[in-house]
Amino acid sequence: MCDSQAEAVCAGAPAPPLAKPRVIPARDPPTLQLARWYAATIPTSHGGILTRALAGPCPLTALHHVKRIRRHPQDAAALQILVCPVPDGEGLPEGVSAIVQEHSLSLSEVGVPELAPATRADWAGWGAHWPLTWRAPDPQLQPEHVALDPAEETAMRQHLAAVVVRADACGANVCAVVDPFTGAFVDKVLACCTAAPDVHPLQHAVMLAVEAVAAGQRARLQQEEGGSAQDGCPKRPRLAEDIMLHGAPCPYLCTGYDVYLAVEPCIMCAMALVHSRARRVIFCDADAAGGALGGTGGLRLQAERSLNHHYHVYHLARACGHA
């Protein structure tokens, strides 16, 4: 169920006490964990030959951040090469054993950082154990890009409080889509929908809200083009800037919008918000059983690098004693 008037989500809603906004990062910062590997001391002239030979039987697939070779810390004329992980049982893997015998390699155990560092400081410190490559993290996921100024935090609390009050009243999840950049407080709310699983199992609050936003955009486009609701609407281009409304770019679904939920979205709804190009997702109650955004430390869809869009996630839990 969706409101036709945005005022229905905001008018007279008391603000339930909410904790300070907590950014749920795409992943927790890694800590230094050393994997046990065998390394061999070799002449500098053998570096290329052994790197190619070991790439087959023992690739560094799980250690893409680790360099295969380093200069020997005590002998400038020699190198050290990672051969293979220290096996749990006895004996080396067959392909590695043949290379060790062929080149008369003498193995010694070293500790190699198991996880890629997330900061330059970690990269420099962890590299003391074994040289690492540096891959800069996505700048959009860094703290300076997700911090809130006081005005943003106040607006976020107001919108989420209104959603939570309505959800508590109706006993179902509620989703509001908000344009954070235009209009007064009430005018910013583009859609506010309550989950209706008794009507249809797929009528989650997010799915209804995204459809309500799309319906509103279709209606405005048809009005701009002088058509009617019965005329249909041409397929929207993929890029928001490809189509104009009243002389300004018309957003693609939820591009640039903030989405507020009383309860952490499931994976279906979280993925719908990826496809809808939401800017930020803000929720109150974590869902340990079905939540997809890391409210309780489980699945975090926003951490999936293969997706073609990522949004920031904020959790404003109910203040202690007000659950």
Side-chain angles (χ1 to χ4, degrees):
M1 180 180 67
C2 295
D3 288 325
S4 58
Q5 297 294 326
E7 288 84 352
V9 70
C10 302
L18 299 173
K20 186 173 180 62
R22 176 176 71 94
V23 177
I24 300 181
R27 56 193 59 84
D28 291 324
T31 57
L32 177 60
Q33 302 174 41
L34 297 179
R36 299 169 59 213
W37 273 68
Y38 280 138
T41 299
I42 60 174
T44 55
S45 59
H46 284 44
I49 297 171
L50 284 169
T51 297
R52 290 189 294 271
L54 289 167
C58 191
L60 295 179
T61 305
L63 297 176
H64 58 84
H65 55 286
V66 174
K67 295 184 178 181
R68 187 108 212 183
I69 289 181
R70 72 174 180 181
R71 289 200 174 276
H72 197 287
Q74 283 87 40
D75 185 355
L79 303 173
Q80 279 189 313
I81 186 169
L82 291 177
V83 177
C84 68
V86 175
D88 293 331
E90 295 183 0
L92 300 175
E94 183 177 348
V96 173
S97 179
I99 295 172
V100 169
Q101 293 177 13
E102 178 183 355
H103 294 274
S104 301
L105 301 181
S106 177
L107 303 181
S108 60
E109 187 174 321
V110 296
V112 176
E114 193 169 15
L115 302 174
T119 66
R120 277 278 186 179
D122 284 346
W123 170 75
W126 298 4
H129 297 276
W130 192 273
L132 308 174
T133 58
W134 169 248
R135 180 184 180 187
D138 184 347
Q140 294 302 315
L141 300 179
Q142 298 309 295
E144 60 269 22
H145 290 274
V146 296
L148 301 170
D149 61 38
E152 283 184 305
E153 182 173 338
T154 298
M156 184 177 285
R157 288 180 176 277
Q158 288 177 320
H159 286 298
L160 187 59
V163 166
V164 170
V165 166
R166 172 167 169 166
D168 288 347
C170 65
N173 198 9
V174 172
C175 176
V177 180
V178 173
D179 184 345
F181 300 111
T182 60
F185 178 74
V186 171
D187 296 333
K188 291 176 181 288
V189 182
L190 305 177
C192 182
C193 300
T194 304
D198 53 331
V199 177
H200 191 283
L202 295 183
Q203 287 199 1
H204 293 203
V206 167
M207 308 303 287
L208 294 173
V210 171
E211 173 54 32
V213 170
Q217 291 174 351
R218 284 196 300 268
R220 291 194 298 274
L221 285 169
Q222 289 161 356
Q223 182 181 14
E224 177 81 359
E225 296 169 357
S228 65
Q230 287 74 31
D231 293 336
C233 184
K235 183 177 180 180
R236 184 186 304 279
R238 289 180 60 85
L239 299 179
E241 52 268 27
D242 287 344
I243 192 163
M244 306 294 287
L245 180 62
H246 304 304
C250 179
Y252 171 78
L253 294 178
C254 297
T255 301
Y257 297 160
D258 293 344
V259 178
Y260 291 83
L261 293 121
V263 181
E264 180 182 2
C266 67
I267 191 167
M268 175 184 73
C269 293
M271 195 66 201
L273 294 175
V274 170
H275 290 309
S276 301
R277 304 296 190 268
R279 182 178 79 128
R280 300 190 296 201
V281 179
I282 305 99
F283 66 89
C284 178
D285 297 334
D287 183 356
L293 298 182
T296 57
L299 173 65
R300 301 184 195 187
L301 189 69
Q302 69 271 30
E304 181 52 60
R305 284 184 173 269
S306 63
L307 299 179
N308 60 1
H309 176 76
H310 297 86
Y311 43 66
H312 301 312
V313 179
Y314 297 81
H315 181 202
L316 283 72
R318 298 172 192 262
C320 184
H322 294 272

